[in-house]
Amino acid sequence: MSTPDPAQGRRQLRPTDVKRLNRDWRRRTGARLDLLVESVTQPFNMGSIIRSAAVFGVEHLWLAGNATPPTHRNVAKTALGTDRLVSWEHAGTAAEAAAAVRKAGLRLVAVELTADAVPLHEAPLDGDVCLAIGSEDHGCSPALLTAADAVTYIPQIGRVGSLNVAVATAIALAEARRREWSA
């Protein structure tokens, strides 16, 4: 007697099924998740960041420094319309943006390699939190790191020392939501 192949009954979800699945995940989501983006200047990166922010239910995008705004014409190429799903504002300098985040009642966790950073899977991501990311070349500024309540990094074992800022943002957002959903 042959063993049934489970893949034979596997099919991709229809759009209606995907909407139902997403509604179920939204019901499991209670914590507020925001994102502070400091001096990310490449429109492709900003578009990818916005798209990931929309996917993971980021409520508000705080821009600091010379971050490219979502209204830049080249952001739309990678944001694919998701820029209309995430509210945003330019909040000034990193210190001013951090103060605005705190005034909004969120804990600020920077994603950066520092001597006191903890691995992402150990970061304090419970409750209402705002993740902070820095520029493509230099990461988070000293002012942003000083203002952060905690700093986390993404453990890496390969021979490359860093991730693209948009990819790192997606990983950090996914971990914040995964932690909430598995609690």
Side-chain angles (χ1 to χ4, degrees), residues 95-135:
E96 291 166 341
V101 164
R102 272 213 196 73
K103 187 175 179 185
L106 296 129
R107 186 174 54 261
L108 185 62
V109 179
V111 180
E112 185 62 78
L113 285 168
T114 63
D116 65 333
V118 298
L120 183 61
H121 61 275
E122 296 175 9
L125 300 177
D126 56 307
D128 296 340
V129 68
C130 179
L131 294 173
I133 56 158
S135 74

Side-chain angles (χ1 to χ4, degrees), residues 2 13 26 28 43 50 54 64 67 91 96-97 111-112 130 137 144 154 167 173 179-180:
S2 65
L13 294 178
R26 274 194 298 278
R28 297 181 191 193
I50 291 167
E96 291 166 341
V111 180
E112 185 62 78
C130 179
D137 296 327
L144 180 54
I154 299 168
V167 172
L173 291 171
R179 196 91 62 77
E180 177 182 18

